[in-house]
Amino acid sequence: MLGVDAIVHTASPVNLHTDKPEEVIDPAVNGTLGVMRSATSPNQRLSVKRIVFLSSCATILTRNAPEPRVYDESCWNDADVQEVEEKGRDASPLTKYSASKVLAERRAWEFYEEKKAELPWDFVVVNPPWVFGPTLHEVGGEPESLNSSNKVLYNAITKGVYSVPS
């Protein structure tokens, strides 16, 4: 990243078929921290001015909230983290994913706050509802080879079926 002015961290595993929460949570947290740590090395400090973390609205929204509400930077989806802590493998796939995003963003903010005084870069988070783009893995000729988020989009467009594992 030498010579880079800004880093936009967009990657996080979307695996809605895993049993083990740590298969989604560990790469999300460690990948985010890895990006931030790389920007704190002495060689990087001279060039990086900002890190943008593309998080998710899953970190702030409370699914099935009883009433409309306004969400802001003080809101966290603690319910999904708690469900994963309580149910582990039996938590729903979407809950595991949401917990991974909450834990990754929280740890990123902790990292930034711990080191902020010595960093030449600032930290910004964006919480979009969905992110689509080219896949990083090899995609075969069948839709089954798509990752989870792109498969939901494919089914919505080609079959008129919008279904996210809950």
Side-chain angles (χ1 to χ4, degrees), residues 33-99:
L33 290 176
V35 167
M36 295 178 85
R37 286 183 184 122
S38 70
T40 63
S41 72
N43 293 336
Q44 301 303 325
R45 289 181 160 200
L46 300 177
S47 63
V48 177
K49 305 283 185 271
R50 171 168 285 169
I51 295 181
V52 178
F53 176 45
L54 196 58
S55 186
S56 170
C57 68
T59 64
I60 57 177
L61 296 178
T62 302
R63 260 183 287 131
N64 306 318
E67 57 191 45
R69 64 180 280 197
V70 174
Y71 291 92
D72 63 22
E73 63 277 359
S74 68
C75 298
W76 291 96
N77 178 1
D78 293 320
D80 284 355
V81 174
Q82 183 177 353
E83 183 178 328
V84 169
E85 289 171 353
E86 292 171 359
K87 294 184 178 180
R89 297 171 83 113
D90 294 330
S92 76
L94 189 56
T95 301
K96 292 172 195 168
Y97 169 76
S98 296

